[in-house]
Amino acid sequence: MTSNSLLRADGREPSSVQAATLEVVIPVYNEEADLEQCIRRLHAHLHDAIPFRSTITIADNASTDGTLAVAQRLAAEIDSVQVHHLDEKGRGRALKAVWMASTADVVGYMDVDLSTDLNALMPLIAPLMSGHSDLAIGSRLARSSRVVRGAKREFISRSYNLILRTSLRARFSDAQCGFKAMRTDVARELLPLVQDTGWFFDTELLVIAEKAGLRIHEVPVDWVDDPNSSVNIVDTAVKDLQGCWRVGRALATGALPVADLRRSLGREPLVAGVPHGMVGQMVRFAIIGVASTIAYALLYLILHPLIGAQAANFLGLLITAVLNTAANRAFTFGVRGSEDVGKHQLQGLLVFGFALLVTSGSLALLHAWAPGASRHVELAVLVVANLVATVCRFVALRWVFRNNEDVRK
């Protein structure tokens, strides 16, 4: 059999593929002992419980035992089973190859050990078939999930998902459960951007999908750990952390074209004139703005007796402007690292110049109209002037960090 071929055991392309609505992929590597039981059980469930035409694809990625021979025999015996063989290892590589070639409306996969109860399959694919959701994942970490596994795996799984939430701001609950599906048209848009070919494939796919504004449906599952799993936990964990760093950096630098993907998938803002992510940016900007205003007021009150109103206003604005730009750069607009930090601060100082003009002008008008105004009256006028300048600052900083505004939710 040639590499990357989608064939039945007798060498013919299965006619059922063209009519398939659901294609379930079972990625395997050296699984000759468990494969037949898995396929027969899955086939029976699809026939009895799933009201959609379906195909099972065994994706053999470079097995060195008798897995391929077992897969070919099953494909010859069962009409809706087919084999896809790759000469290279990698679960992600196998899934990507099969999904990209699929003609089904919905594609999915599950692990060969069938640790997830198959009764969750219909709830998994139903929102995809209806068009309500774009991706669907099984979650072992949902409150209503029933899971049997050791404390070590439980700790690792929850720790990993905590890392995803803190480092990549992921909102899905379980990246690693081997029970997922998505609409095929969505898969064709997402998969070219996914680089990982191994176990991090799932996480990378979900992170990109979430950043692109796709709807991810989660299904609580019943799941029983396979004690004979051959997965190297330490090696997988290290590669997952490396993957998190790579994807996080790609999002921060704009290397991942999330905005283009969002447009191609039709995930533009629902309200015209309100760009994607602006509401979240406004909330984060407001938090920093409140802190900056308090810091500015304290600096002004401390410096005023020493250097006078205009100089205190200048220094207070300058110090808080530098800190404000740095905080908004990282927190509001998600820009990390030292690249372009000097340019961003320079642009932030231009924004500071405008704020200085507004506040100094307001202060000068106050002194012309009421020369004996107290420090507290001066401060009140400056706060109002700063509020006007703040609105302009938000618009200006969106322009300064325009290349990164589309990577934040």
Side-chain angles (χ1 to χ4, degrees), residues 130-199:
S130 69
H132 175 269
S133 299
D134 304 297
L135 295 88
I137 65 174
S139 175
R140 299 162 298 183
L141 303 181
R143 288 182 180 273
S144 56
S145 298
R146 297 187 297 176
V147 176
V148 178
R149 62 175 167 181
K152 179 180 179 181
R153 283 182 176 267
E154 180 76 10
F155 174 78
I156 291 173
S157 180
R158 291 189 178 274
S159 298
Y160 178 61
N161 282 283
L162 177 62
I163 290 171
L164 291 181
R165 288 196 295 274
T166 54
S167 65
L168 297 177
R169 297 185 180 273
R171 294 196 297 274
F172 47 84
S173 67
D174 191 351
Q176 296 174 310
C177 182
F179 195 73
K180 296 181 175 69
M182 76 175 82
R183 296 201 338 252
T184 308
D185 58 331
V186 172
R188 292 194 184 101
E189 297 283 347
L190 287 177
L191 291 175
L193 301 180
V194 180
Q195 296 183 23
D196 192 82
T197 60
W199 292 97

Side-chain angles (χ1 to χ4, degrees), residues 341-352:
V341 65
K343 183 179 75 173
H344 291 156
Q345 280 292 351
L346 180 61
Q347 292 169 325
L349 288 177
L350 294 177
V351 178
F352 152 76

